[in-house]
Amino acid sequence: MRRLRAIGRLRTALPHTLRGRLALLALASATAWVAALTIGFDIVLAGRLSSQAADVLQTRAAAVAATVEARPDGGIVVHEPPDDRALDVGTWIYRGSTAIERPSAPPALQRQADRLTGRGSAYQESGGRNASRLYALPVRVGNRQTGTVVVAVSLDPYRSTARAALAGSAVLGLLLLVGVYLLTRTVVGRALRPVAEMSTRAARWSELGAAERFGTGRRPDELASLATNLDELLDRLAAVLRHEQLQTAELSHELRTPLARIVAETDWLTARPRDAAGQHASHQAITAAAGTMRHICDTLLSEARARTGQPPGRCRLPAMADHLAEQYARQHPDAPPLSVRGGAGVTAGVSPALVERMLTPLLDNARRYAATGVTLTFAPTPAGVELAVSDDGPGVPAETGPAVFEPGRRADPDDGHDGAGLGLALARRLARASGGDIEWDPAATGARFVVSLPAG
């Protein structure tokens, strides 16, 4: 629990701007790097100073040993040079374990020098406030050690140098980190300036509802990729808005006819008295129109669910074809007949309501323009199932072609038939939302539309 609270406090303490966070990240990285360099430098410097102290001790010990003569009888004779004050500072000369020359030194340092006699070449350090390092150099006659030269040097100058170097490197590192932080904030702020400009433009476009795009201006590669992705997102959002507008228009178109029928029957019922049979017929017409409106709404909702990945359902095409043929004959007894062709057991991976809504506009168009008959065929294909609605009418004009699927587009607006040109657009959208498509066959005689759907 305490750890979670600590993490929460850390997150609260972090800067809220991207520039601040990047600057803090650069500062943390630079701090780790400077600390590593400082520690490494101090370690190397300490080693170097220690090596220098050892070289000084060895040089002095060798110089002192050059003035000492060891005799075969075990005696030690010291030949004093003309000016030996430099050699006498911190220098002991022993014959055996007896000091024949010794400097004025603290008792602790004297005891350490005494312990180095007779041990060959050796180093030893004295701790405390006035730290020193001692070095013993044996004096031999043949293979026998008869005496020892011990020299000492104070470590205070070396340690003072190390402390000064550590303080200097710390101050330099601190100044470097401050410079890195300020420079990073400045550089990141300038680098993010195009992002702020893009954000400002996007906010302005959002308020005005403008259709501008960021385009492919001169930007760094990362911002160019961001601008491209944002433009694609804006295009998709615009497409969604157009889709919603189109859906509203299609819904209005599909509901207009049954709603007009309900209004007309209601006006007839209230405008003049009618007998029981007439009232019953009007009630049936109103009920049928209301059912049609409910069916249209259910179909559009099914299409919306199909776009969001809901299960598509299954439709047995022979039963659906027979249902459509029966409905066609009942509703349009004077229209050219509808014939159905297809094998048994063909199933589409789409709900029956969606299949009916796809085929109804195709059958209505075929009925309007057919000369002698309309044909509905279905058959399995390697990619799924295929349905086709064809008629023997004049067909789709070549100059119209695939544009007949555009919302509001009619092949011949003056042909005397009603409709706003939205039926084919709705049918194709339903098919594509279900994983299929509707295409116009330009090679067919008359008009022929092919519906491809996934297999069930």
Side-chain angles (χ1 to χ4, degrees):
M1 191 67 179
R2 293 179 179 177
R3 181 178 297 179
L4 293 177
R5 291 176 180 174
I7 293 175
R9 289 194 294 269
L10 178 61
R11 290 179 177 176
T12 304
L14 287 175
H16 296 289
T17 62
L18 181 59
R19 182 179 68 172
R21 294 194 177 191
L22 290 177
L24 186 61
L25 178 61
L27 178 62
S29 302
T31 301
W33 179 242
V34 169
L37 289 179
T38 302
I39 293 173
F41 170 75
D42 291 337
I43 292 175
V44 172
L45 179 61
R48 183 59 181 168
L49 292 176
S50 177
S51 177
Q52 288 180 357
D55 292 341
V56 170
L57 288 172
Q58 291 178 5
T59 301
R60 288 183 58 191
V64 173
T67 66
V68 176
E69 179 184 355
R71 294 182 176 180
D73 60 357
I76 295 292
V77 178
V78 179
H79 300 283
E80 298 288 344
D83 187 8
D84 63 347
R85 286 178 298 177
L87 297 179
D88 289 341
V89 177
T91 301
W92 290 262
I93 299 177
Y94 290 87
R95 182 176 59 242
S97 59
T98 302
I100 59 176
E101 284 193 13
R102 68 174 63 189
S104 177
L109 188 63
Q110 180 63 50
R111 287 192 296 271
Q112 285 186 319
D114 294 340
R115 284 195 294 268
L116 287 173
T117 59
R119 295 172 55 184
S121 298
Y123 288 96
Q124 191 169 358
E125 289 190 8
S126 65
R129 189 171 182 181
N130 298 317
S132 299
R133 179 177 294 182
L134 295 86
Y135 173 66
L137 180 66
V139 178
R140 291 187 175 89
V141 176
N143 294 327
R144 184 167 61 92
Q145 181 176 348
T146 59
T148 307
V149 174
V150 178
V151 295
V153 65
S154 175
L155 295 179
D156 289 342
Y158 300 97
R159 293 185 176 181
S160 177
T161 301
R163 287 193 295 269
L166 178 60
S169 60
V171 172
L172 181 61
L174 181 61
L175 294 176
L176 178 62
L177 293 178
V178 172
V180 166
Y181 181 74
L182 296 177
L183 181 61
T184 302
R185 282 185 64 90
T186 303
V187 172
V188 172
R190 292 184 178 180
L192 293 178
R193 191 175 300 166
V195 179
E197 294 175 356
M198 293 172 63
S199 177
T200 302
R201 292 170 61 185
R204 185 172 64 252
W205 296 344
S206 176
E207 294 176 357
L208 300 178
E212 287 86 352
R213 297 293 183 267
F214 293 105
T216 57
R218 297 182 59 185
R219 299 186 182 92
D221 292 342
E222 295 81 358
L223 293 183
S225 177
L226 175 62
T228 301
N229 293 334
L230 289 177
D231 285 344
E232 293 178 357
L233 177 61
L234 291 174
D235 290 338
R236 286 194 293 269
L237 291 176
V240 170
L241 292 176
R242 290 194 301 269
H243 171 80
E244 296 302 326
Q245 293 172 353
L246 177 61
Q247 186 178 36
T248 303
E250 292 170 352
L251 182 62
S252 174
H253 167 262
E254 295 294 325
L255 296 179
R256 183 177 58 185
T257 300
L259 183 59
R261 182 68 180 274
I262 293 176
V263 172
E265 293 292 342
T266 304
D267 290 341
W268 290 340
L269 284 174
T270 58
R272 59 181 181 179
R274 306 181 70 179
D275 55 15
Q279 291 182 2
H280 180 69
S282 295
H283 292 161
Q284 285 186 332
I286 293 174
T287 302
T292 301
M293 293 176 66
R294 183 180 63 183
H295 180 70
I296 292 172
C297 292
D298 292 341
T299 301
L300 292 176
L301 289 176
S302 299
E303 184 267 337
R305 295 190 187 99
R307 290 200 315 270
T308 56
Q310 297 293 330
R314 300 175 74 242
C315 176
R316 299 184 181 277
L317 296 185
M320 174 56 65
D322 292 341
H323 166 71
L324 291 176
E326 179 182 352
Q327 181 176 275
Y328 180 95
R330 184 178 65 256
Q331 295 179 353
H332 309 288
D334 299 330
L338 170 64
S339 58
V340 177
R341 301 174 185 174
V346 183
T347 304
V350 183
S351 66
L354 281 177
V355 174
E356 182 175 356
R357 291 305 304 167
M358 294 177 207
L359 295 178
T360 297
L362 303 179
L363 293 173
D364 287 342
N365 285 346
R367 172 182 56 80
R368 291 169 182 166
Y369 297 102
T372 60
V374 179
T375 304
L376 171 61
T377 61
F378 56 89
T381 64
V385 296
E386 186 177 279
L387 303 93
V389 177
S390 57
D391 63 73
D392 56 355
V396 179
E399 61 272 14
T400 302
V404 73
F405 290 103
E406 295 178 0
R409 184 67 176 268
R410 294 181 55 184
D412 185 5
D414 300 326
D415 55 9
H417 297 291
D418 58 351
L422 295 174
L424 291 179
L426 174 61
R428 170 175 269 189
R429 195 184 65 174
L430 291 173
R432 290 181 173 177
S434 303
D437 201 355
I438 297 180
E439 297 179 349
W440 166 62
D441 184 3
T445 301
R448 183 172 185 268
F449 293 90
V450 180
V451 183
S452 58
L453 297 174

